[in-house]
Amino acid sequence: MKISYRRSRRAALAVAVGSALALTATACGDDGSGAAGDKGTEGSGKGQITFWDNNGGVRTDIWKQVIADFEKKYPDIKVDYVGIPAASAQSKYDTAIQGGGLPDVGGVGTAMLAEVAAQGALEPLDSRLEKSPLGGKLSQNLLDSSKAAGGDGKLYQIPTSANNGTLWYRTDLFKKAGLDAPTTWSKFYEAADKLTNRSKNAFGFTIRGGKGSIAPALDAMYSQTGITSFWNGDKTTVNDPKNVAALEKYVALYKKDTPTADVNNDFTKMVAQWDSGTIGMLSHNLGSYQDHVKALGPDKFRGIPNPTLDDGTRVQVSNPVDGLSVFKSSKNKAAAWKFIEFAVSHEENSKFNESAGQVPANVDAAKDAWIQKAEPTKLAAEALNGSGTKIVQLPYYLPDWNTISKADNEPNFQKVLLGKMTARQFLDTLADQLNKAQAEWKKQQR
């Protein structure tokens, strides 16, 4: 039902936007390259190309620097930059797929990659990468995430950067309590208990119970069990007995070692609560680093990758990966690919990610001096690129993944925290929905 709804939504969208497309394209300075059904051409490798930034405003300045560098190296190519706010990027692409006006090259994150690719809008990039100077220069774990997100094993996105799950902890509180850094789950749980003193409003951990709660819970679950695949055949492993036990232990922290308000906290509230200074640990990505520096100063906290098993085994779920895609309808794919090669080269990828505060996809960029000085990013890069790191690929390719992992189950996770649903009931419900979505997706691939 949800898949047919998505199709009907697109059909309605095509009718509704017909008269608006020309205005939209003109307003954006985008002369377009066609709709998804247009196969495009390789082109001359010169002339003008249009680039859509899927995080316009936030990343506009750094992308304009990259574009200026590119145009200096390739004076016979001009890049028309179009900045699109992240919240509207998916709908912008959907509209252009239906009615025309797609760019030559654009930012497409893994969360939306499968839907855009499934509509025939993206050019497979496997052979281009094999022949490119970028071959062997990109993080294999990030490439694996990009391929998995596409849904059919092809590479539709060249990764540019990634965030990573980070455990932020108060070094001053740990030192005072005589605790080791929470590098393993055993040390994490020990610290959560020891740092909690409810009578003084002091807590060992803050757990994400509001919007965006499912991915952190899955990350905590899989990294504790060491299960390395989201699927066992066509059945999900989310409700494996080991995962059930791990989730039970994790949610048992709520109200025992965490504030009661956590049940409703999204990342903004959770970060603000941790920055208030009375909580020992926070699990969030690299993006909150500057917030912590502003609130606590640089010397009272550290950011490390999420805990490992006691033997050092590192398992983590895939984080959304941002990247660049060539659109199949482009009339100048050669120039669009040159832009991607340049943007993800060592120097430019390093410059971009230093500005964004994220982990570079280019492995040489991940060794640069700024990374070595930014410990949380350095450790995140080592974790993401480590040969021993096992990534559990979340099924971003499923059309219903966002609905299942957000609207359907964030309220259920809150019920688990409040004791109104057991961890097993929650995971069995989630597993049933995922198994049905996987079966429907496979049926559509035949």
Side-chain angles (χ1 to χ4, degrees):
M1 290 297 291
K2 288 171 184 169
I3 292 176
S4 62
Y5 167 76
R6 290 164 76 88
R7 287 177 175 164
S8 66
R9 179 177 70 85
R10 291 187 190 125
L13 185 64
V15 174
V17 302
S19 61
L21 282 171
L23 291 173
T24 302
T26 302
C28 293
D30 170 28
D31 55 9
S33 61
D38 188 339
K39 293 183 179 179
T41 59
E42 193 66 11
S44 65
K46 300 178 181 180
Q48 181 170 311
I49 57 173
T50 299
F51 165 58
W52 284 8
D53 171 13
N54 62 326
N55 199 2
V58 176
R59 304 280 184 252
T60 296
D61 289 346
I62 185 59
W63 271 122
K64 287 192 172 180
Q65 288 181 43
V66 173
I67 290 169
D69 292 344
F70 175 76
E71 291 179 340
K72 184 176 180 180
K73 181 174 181 179
Y74 296 100
D76 52 2
I77 304 175
K78 297 300 177 185
V79 180
D80 181 18
Y81 171 87
V82 179
I84 304 169
S88 57
Q90 176 74 68
S91 62
K92 175 72 171 174
Y93 280 127
D94 280 347
T95 300
I97 287 169
Q98 293 296 325
L102 283 166
D104 299 281
V105 58
V108 182
T110 49
M112 72 172 83
L113 186 67
E115 180 168 341
V116 178
Q119 296 178 79
L122 301 180
E123 180 86 356
L125 300 174
D126 307 77
S127 61
R128 292 180 192 268
L129 181 59
E130 286 174 11
K131 301 169 188 173
S132 169
L134 287 178
K137 294 295 185 179
L138 302 180
S139 163
Q140 189 58 51
N141 281 338
L142 294 189
L143 282 171
D144 289 345
S145 292
S146 296
K147 279 194 174 185
D152 62 2
K154 295 178 182 177
L155 183 67
Y156 293 106
Q157 175 218 60
I158 299 300
T160 57
S161 52
N163 236 317
N164 199 51
T166 300
L167 184 64
W168 303 99
Y169 74 97
R170 290 286 304 275
T171 50
D172 54 343
L173 298 182
F174 270 68
K175 183 177 180 180
K176 185 177 179 181
L179 290 164
D180 293 332
T183 52
T184 67
W185 281 103
S186 294
K187 292 176 179 178
F188 167 85
Y189 282 112
E190 178 189 2
D193 278 337
K194 195 164 184 180
L195 292 173
T196 298
N197 185 334
R198 299 187 68 84
S199 66
K200 295 184 178 179
N201 199 38
F203 300 94
F205 184 56
T206 174
I207 195 170
R208 188 166 180 168
K211 187 177 180 181
S213 61
I214 302 303
L218 293 178
D219 204 6
M221 194 171 77
Y222 278 96
S223 62
Q224 288 181 78
T225 63
I227 295 172
T228 58
S229 176
F230 197 81
W231 300 101
N232 182 6
D234 289 332
K235 302 296 183 185
T236 181
T237 58
V238 293
N239 60 340
D240 182 285
K242 291 180 181 178
N243 278 336
V244 172
L247 187 62
E248 287 172 343
K249 187 172 184 178
Y250 184 68
V251 298
L253 293 171
Y254 176 64
K255 287 204 299 187
K256 180 172 76 74
D257 294 329
T258 79
T260 303
D262 280 359
V263 70
N264 293 312
N265 283 355
D266 59 10
F267 87 90
T268 304
K269 294 174 184 174
M270 187 175 64
V271 167
Q273 188 170 262
W274 190 72
D275 287 345
S276 70
T278 60
I279 301 173
M281 295 178 290
L282 160 73
S283 185
H284 188 243
N285 58 46
L286 294 169
S288 55
Y289 175 71
Q290 291 301 332
D291 291 325
H292 308 327
V293 172
K294 184 177 179 181
L296 303 170
D299 302 322
K300 291 184 179 179
F301 72 94
R302 281 185 75 203
I304 62 175
N306 283 335
T308 68
L309 295 172
D310 285 346
D311 64 3
T313 299
R314 181 175 301 286
V315 177
Q316 59 187 61
V317 301
S318 55
N319 282 270
V321 176
D322 211 4
L324 298 172
S325 299
V326 174
F327 283 79
K328 191 176 287 185
S329 56
S330 170
K331 301 300 190 293
N332 201 346
K333 295 176 187 176
W337 176 249
K338 281 183 185 177
F339 179 71
I340 290 179
E341 280 188 319
F342 183 82
V344 196
S345 65
H346 176 176
E347 183 178 347
E348 298 300 319
N349 193 232
S350 182
K351 180 188 299 184
F352 178 86
N353 282 286
E354 183 176 11
S355 171
Q358 293 188 311
V359 179
N362 189 299
V363 292
D364 291 332
K367 299 172 186 174
D368 281 353
W370 70 268
I371 286 249
Q372 306 311 309
K373 294 175 184 175
E375 186 191 40
T377 309
K378 173 178 179 285
L379 296 176
E382 290 172 355
L384 273 174
N385 297 326
S387 59
T389 299
K390 304 298 182 185
I391 307 288
V392 178
Q393 300 293 347
L394 297 181
Y396 297 120
Y397 61 85
L398 290 178
D400 286 339
W401 168 248
N402 283 335
T403 300
I404 291 171
S405 64
K406 295 182 184 299
D408 287 356
N409 283 289
E410 285 176 354
N412 284 343
F413 186 69
Q414 289 179 315
K415 289 179 182 178
V416 176
L417 294 178
L418 295 171
K420 297 178 180 179
M421 177 182 273
T422 67
R424 172 163 288 285
Q425 288 170 333
F426 168 74
L427 292 175
D428 283 346
T429 299
L430 179 60
D432 182 61
Q433 293 170 332
L434 288 165
N435 291 338
K436 287 176 180 175
Q438 174 79 347
E440 182 63 27
W441 177 79
K442 284 215 159 184
K443 189 180 185 181
Q444 297 296 324
Q445 305 312 301
R446 296 189 191 123

